[in-house]
Amino acid sequence: MPHNRLRMDLQLFSGEKTEKATPKKRSESRNKGQVAKSPEIPSSLILLACIFCLIMLGPFLQRQLLAMFGDAFMHRLNMEVTDQNVLSLFGNYAIQILILLAPIFIVVLVVAFASYYVQIGWLFTFEPLKPKLEKLNPIEGAKNLFGVRSLVEFLKSSLKLITVGLIVYLVLWSKKDRMLELAHLPIQDIFSFVGSLTIQLGIYVAALLFILAIGDFFYQRYEFEKNQRMSKQDIKDEYKNIEGDPLIKAKIKERQRRMALMRMMQEVPKADVVITNPTHFAVALKYDSEKMDAPTVIAKGQDYLALRIREIAKQNEVITMENKPLARALFERTEVGQSVPGDLFQAVAEVLAYVYRLKGRR
């Protein structure tokens, strides 16, 4: 135990970041755009989605391209070149190109949004776009250039380059016999072979990049959690900022307690009776049959407060009665503003009846 306590004290003194981040720090980091995400996942999924779009929309794209180029060669070669004709021609072609690319653009946007949403949820902030002067610091730039993160990024890029090159080599090597026969094939078969080979390479590369992106995501999350760690002193400072300085809180509570006591003492003159111990406890009761279901404790105190309640009651001609067991029971079982417990109704009713007789009330 002494050894563990000494180690904790050393960690607190040294500021070593060994504790998990608090929810407050996580929320602040998220508002700044600092979250665990991998940009490799959207890029690989976008590549894969584009390839599947080309596979599914291939005939449509082919027809549109042939129609656009056919129109240029068949109907536009003898066109009179004027400003209006040229603008009309380019406007028409721009619309056709947008029609061609619109499905791919939509798929890219949906995939990009979905991949980021799965990683970090809904997050919209301009904080990362704000200019920061520390980014222009050459010393910090040198640290980032030769830091651990830069080394990891270099290794990651090298791994992607090697694996993609290896896949391209293996796929092309497996098709070498077919590629040697292309010289004897018609141009349509050559284009068909090149298209299918390109799609095959794209699927393999995108799938491999996605697998590497999954590993990168777990690394990014580990790095993020590591950077978010806090020292014990950081947690203490955060708690102090949230809850306030303990000394100030103690003063506020003391002031609130005094104000509550003052309000309680102001209610004593309104009491019907004050039941005492006689020296240790004092409980002031009030009963209004039109507003209350049962007698209510409007003030209570022990020792010095009990003496003050008796003094105020005496000054305002409130009847004081000595009943040791009833005074102790009321003090221990009720709070100011609460009604008398049901099992004490009989005893309290007898006291109030006696008080009313003394006051000449019925």
Side-chain angles (χ1 to χ4, degrees):
M1 289 293 292
H3 176 71
N4 293 335
R5 180 63 180 273
L6 178 61
R7 186 173 64 180
M8 291 176 62
D9 292 340
L10 288 174
Q11 289 177 352
L12 181 62
F13 179 76
S14 63
E16 184 179 354
K17 298 183 182 297
T18 58
E19 307 301 315
K20 291 184 177 180
T22 60
K24 181 176 182 295
K25 183 174 182 181
R26 291 181 183 275
S27 177
E28 292 176 350
S29 300
R30 182 176 179 82
N31 292 334
K32 295 178 182 178
Q34 299 174 1
V35 289
K37 66 180 185 298
S38 173
E40 306 295 335
I41 292 180
S43 60
S44 60
L45 289 178
I46 287 173
L47 177 59
L48 199 60
C50 289
I51 293 172
F52 281 111
C53 278
L54 292 175
I55 294 175
M56 291 184 293
L57 300 176
F60 168 75
L61 296 176
Q62 181 183 12
R63 287 196 302 270
Q64 291 295 113
L65 286 174
L66 290 177
M68 187 169 61
F69 283 104
D71 177 74
F73 285 105
M74 296 175 63
H75 305 103
R76 306 294 181 176
L77 293 178
N78 297 326
M79 181 186 70
E80 184 180 357
V81 180
T82 62
D83 294 341
Q84 184 176 1
N85 289 341
V86 171
L87 289 176
S88 175
L89 176 65
F90 280 102
N92 184 29
Y93 286 163
I95 293 175
Q96 295 186 39
I97 292 173
L98 285 178
I99 294 174
L100 285 174
L101 299 180
I104 298 177
F105 285 158
I106 294 173
V107 170
V108 167
L109 290 176
V110 171
V111 171
F113 177 81
S115 58
Y116 275 112
Y117 182 80
V118 170
Q119 291 185 81
I120 61 176
W122 174 254
L123 178 62
F124 186 79
T125 177
F126 290 104
E127 191 70 24
L129 301 179
K130 292 182 178 179
K132 296 180 180 179
L133 296 178
E134 56 266 21
K135 291 183 178 180
L136 302 177
N137 189 345
I139 299 177
E140 292 295 329
K143 290 181 180 179
N144 295 331
L145 184 61
F146 299 101
V148 177
R149 188 175 186 85
S150 298
L151 178 61
V152 172
E153 292 296 326
F154 173 75
L155 293 177
K156 184 173 65 176
S157 301
S158 301
L159 180 62
K160 288 195 296 183
L161 183 61
I162 292 172
T163 51
V164 169
L166 184 61
I167 286 180
V168 172
Y169 171 76
L170 293 176
V171 172
L172 293 179
W173 184 256
S174 64
K175 303 290 185 177
K176 63 181 185 302
D177 294 335
R178 179 65 174 170
M179 294 174 65
L180 294 175
E181 298 175 356
L182 292 179
H184 308 287
L185 296 177
I187 188 68
Q188 186 174 359
D189 292 342
I190 294 175
F191 278 120
S192 176
F193 171 77
V194 173
S196 63
L197 181 61
T198 303
I199 290 176
Q200 184 180 3
L201 282 173
I203 293 175
Y204 287 163
V205 170
L208 175 64
L209 292 179
F210 179 72
I211 294 173
L212 295 178
I214 295 296
D216 180 64
F217 171 73
F218 285 107
Y219 169 76
Q220 296 293 342
R221 189 165 67 174
Y222 163 77
E223 190 71 16
F224 175 77
E225 293 294 335
K226 182 180 177 181
N227 293 331
Q228 288 289 300
R229 286 178 186 172
M230 305 172 65
S231 64
K232 295 182 182 296
Q233 185 62 41
D234 293 337
I235 296 177
K236 289 181 64 177
D237 293 340
E238 181 183 291
Y239 177 78
K240 185 183 293 185
N241 292 332
I242 295 175
E243 300 295 331
D245 194 325
L247 296 177
I248 297 177
K249 287 181 61 180
K251 290 182 180 180
I252 293 174
K253 288 183 178 180
E254 177 65 19
R255 187 172 182 178
Q256 291 174 344
R257 189 179 69 84
R258 290 183 179 181
M259 294 177 64
L261 288 176
M262 290 177 61
R263 288 194 298 268
M264 185 179 71
M265 292 303 180
Q266 292 173 357
E267 296 293 321
V268 174
K270 304 176 184 178
D272 292 323
V273 63
V274 174
I275 302 175
T276 64
N277 193 25
T279 57
H280 295 294
F281 302 104
V283 180
L285 298 177
K286 180 178 178 58
Y287 179 60
D288 187 344
S289 59
E290 296 180 357
K291 299 180 181 179
M292 302 177 184
D293 296 331
T296 302
V297 177
I298 61 174
K300 71 172 188 175
Q302 184 178 5
D303 297 332
Y304 174 74
L305 284 180
L307 176 62
R308 287 289 300 145
I309 291 173
R310 292 198 303 271
E311 290 177 353
I312 295 174
K314 184 177 180 181
Q315 293 171 3
N316 292 273
E317 298 182 354
V318 178
I319 297 176
T320 301
M321 291 190 60
E322 178 181 341
N323 189 327
K324 294 181 180 181
L326 181 58
R328 178 180 289 273
L330 289 172
F331 182 84
E332 293 178 350
R333 297 175 56 187
T334 59
E335 298 294 335
V336 176
Q338 289 184 351
S339 300
V340 173
D343 56 335
L344 299 179
F345 279 178
Q346 182 66 30
V348 172
E350 293 175 358
V351 171
L352 289 176
Y354 175 73
V355 171
Y356 294 157
R357 284 198 297 273
L358 289 180
K359 291 183 176 181
R361 288 202 249 167
R362 292 293 181 268

